[in-house]
Amino acid sequence: EVVVDGSSTVYPISEAAADAFRSDYPNVSITVGKGGTGAGFKRFSRGETDISDASRPIKDSEFKLCQEHGVSFIELPVAYDGLSIVVNPKNNWVDHLTIDELKQIFLEERAAKTWAEVRASWPDVRISLHIPGTDSGTFDYFKEIVAPEDKATGDTPALRSDMSTSEEDNDLVRGVAGEEGALGFFGASYYFNNREKVKVVPIVDPQTGEAVTPSPETIESGEYAPFSRPLFIYVNVDSLKRPEVSRFVQFYLENAADFAEQVDYVALPDELYDAADEHLQERWTGAHFLTADLGKRTGSLSEVYKKENRVETTSK
């Protein structure tokens, strides 16, 4: 048996891997959950799962829980995603959004109730918001960009409370598709698979000033900024002592590029898959996006995902 849980964004990739593996190894039972990145890490830190899907790197608090429970892990990137902002297809006024306009919509202190409050030229149509739940890595990633922590005070702006939330991305698609003034966000795969139900919004890159639409090309190139992100699986190193887990993780990584593209995500460059495979073969454990004092390490995946950047936990 192999138990996987975590991100609903990573779920389609892991389920594709599980389906293919079951064909070759029918005696292995693989269960893949999608309770959200945060909920997945809680189970993983208690040793309840072998693999944790994550649409963001592990947080310091989750890392500490793994330490407390003696869970040592290998961090493996598997694909790129572009967090996609979508509106109802009947919305014919939004041609693009800036990060500041997203703040106008989502921050409690600003909380635009109608589209006219965002731009005066837009209609006086009520904005209804459909977003992932707070256990979702997609929610965390969005919040980091729209409501970043004030480095001077340590305070984080509050998001408005009148939003419809769900850990199930298909519920968000239905919510946005059902109301003219609706807006939501989720991983690119769910947008690519629901183009007839929702309309994607180009986002202005604060660095270049260009409005860019998420696509496999713009996500891989980094043009779709700041909402392009890597996706991960975290593997309990003790679980790898079991042959079914070891073989499944190897199979997953060997075919991750194909599985990612099969479910409309973006494959990583070959050199990053090679680096991940080296981590797996050498059992290089630990988190790369945390510093030695468990602060957040920033940078692109290719810059950060290096052996020397690991902060290690202690295995049982």
Side-chain angles (χ1 to χ4, degrees):
E1 183 179 19
V2 181
V3 181
V4 186
D5 199 359
S7 168
S8 63
T9 300
V10 184
Y11 170 83
I13 309 175
S14 291
E15 184 57 31
D19 278 343
F21 192 79
R22 291 183 192 110
S23 297
D24 291 345
Y25 301 90
N27 291 332
V28 178
S29 169
I30 305 176
T31 58
V32 184
K34 48 179 175 177
T37 298
F41 275 132
K42 287 175 187 173
R43 293 193 66 197
F44 185 72
S45 69
R46 296 193 294 261
E48 296 173 8
T49 59
D50 302 303
I51 299 167
S52 202
D53 290 345
S55 59
R56 56 159 173 79
I58 193 168
K59 293 180 178 179
D60 59 340
S61 58
E62 296 158 341
F63 184 90
K64 289 175 184 176
L65 283 174
C66 287
Q67 284 185 315
E68 289 171 12
H69 292 96
V71 173
S72 188
F73 57 80
I74 303 174
E75 182 178 61
L76 301 172
V78 293
Y80 283 130
D81 176 36
L83 189 153
S84 301
I85 315 297
V86 298
V87 294
N88 186 280
K90 294 180 181 177
N91 183 325
N92 58 7
W93 56 89
V94 175
D95 54 348
H96 66 270
L97 285 168
T98 66
I99 299 302
D100 190 64
E101 286 170 335
L102 288 171
K103 291 181 179 182
Q104 285 180 255
I105 294 169
F106 282 93
L107 295 187
E108 184 66 53
E109 63 181 16
R110 302 167 78 172
K113 302 297 184 184
T114 69
W115 286 102
E117 292 178 41
V118 182
R119 283 191 215 172
S121 60
W122 287 348
D124 190 28
V125 174
R126 187 180 79 89
I127 299 173
S128 64
L129 299 174
H130 301 266
I131 70 166
T134 56
D135 260 344
S136 165
T138 303
F139 172 87
D140 288 336
Y141 190 78
F142 182 83
K143 187 177 180 183
E144 282 182 13
I145 292 169
V146 174
E149 179 183 300
D150 185 316
K151 292 182 179 178
T153 65
D155 295 332
T156 302
L159 296 181
R160 61 195 294 171
S161 57
D162 59 336
M163 300 185 287
S164 176
T165 63
S166 175
E167 301 292 351
E168 175 53 67
D169 292 301
N170 289 316
D171 290 343
L172 304 180
V173 171
R174 285 189 288 270
V176 174
E179 193 170 348
E180 184 182 14
L183 178 144
F185 62 84
F186 34 72
S189 176
Y190 288 92
Y191 155 59
F192 294 149
N193 283 302
N194 291 280
R195 295 175 199 254
E196 75 288 353
K197 298 177 183 176
V198 296
K199 182 173 115 179
V200 77
V201 178
I203 301 299
V204 175
D205 180 347
Q207 302 299 318
T208 67
E210 296 291 323
V212 181
T213 300
S215 70
E217 294 75 26
T218 61
I219 292 168
E220 181 176 7
S221 69
E223 291 175 76
Y224 183 63
F227 286 122
S228 293
R229 57 179 177 164
L231 304 176
F232 302 89
I233 61 172
Y234 287 75
V235 183
N236 185 322
V237 75
D238 284 346
S239 295
L240 288 171
K241 296 172 184 175
R242 300 184 354 245
E244 69 274 21
V245 178
S246 178
R247 185 68 194 100
F248 174 65
V249 174
Q250 186 67 55
F251 175 84
Y252 192 141
L253 205 53
E254 287 171 356
N255 299 282
D258 291 337
F259 295 142
E261 291 174 356
Q262 179 182 319
V263 296
D264 294 315
Y265 285 105
V266 179
L268 301 174
D270 288 343
E271 55 267 26
L272 281 172
Y273 286 123
D274 290 343
D277 184 62
E278 188 174 16
H279 276 65
L280 180 62
Q281 300 307 323
E282 299 297 333
R283 300 298 193 258
W284 289 339
T285 59
H288 299 75
F289 285 81
L290 294 172
T291 60
D293 60 358
L294 299 189
K296 186 179 297 183
R297 191 190 303 275
T298 59
S300 68
L301 183 62
S302 58
E303 292 169 338
V304 174
Y305 193 70
K306 296 178 179 179
K307 176 186 176 183
E308 58 268 24
N309 287 336
R310 293 173 303 130
V311 179
E312 296 190 60
T313 56
T314 303
S315 183
K316 292 179 184 179

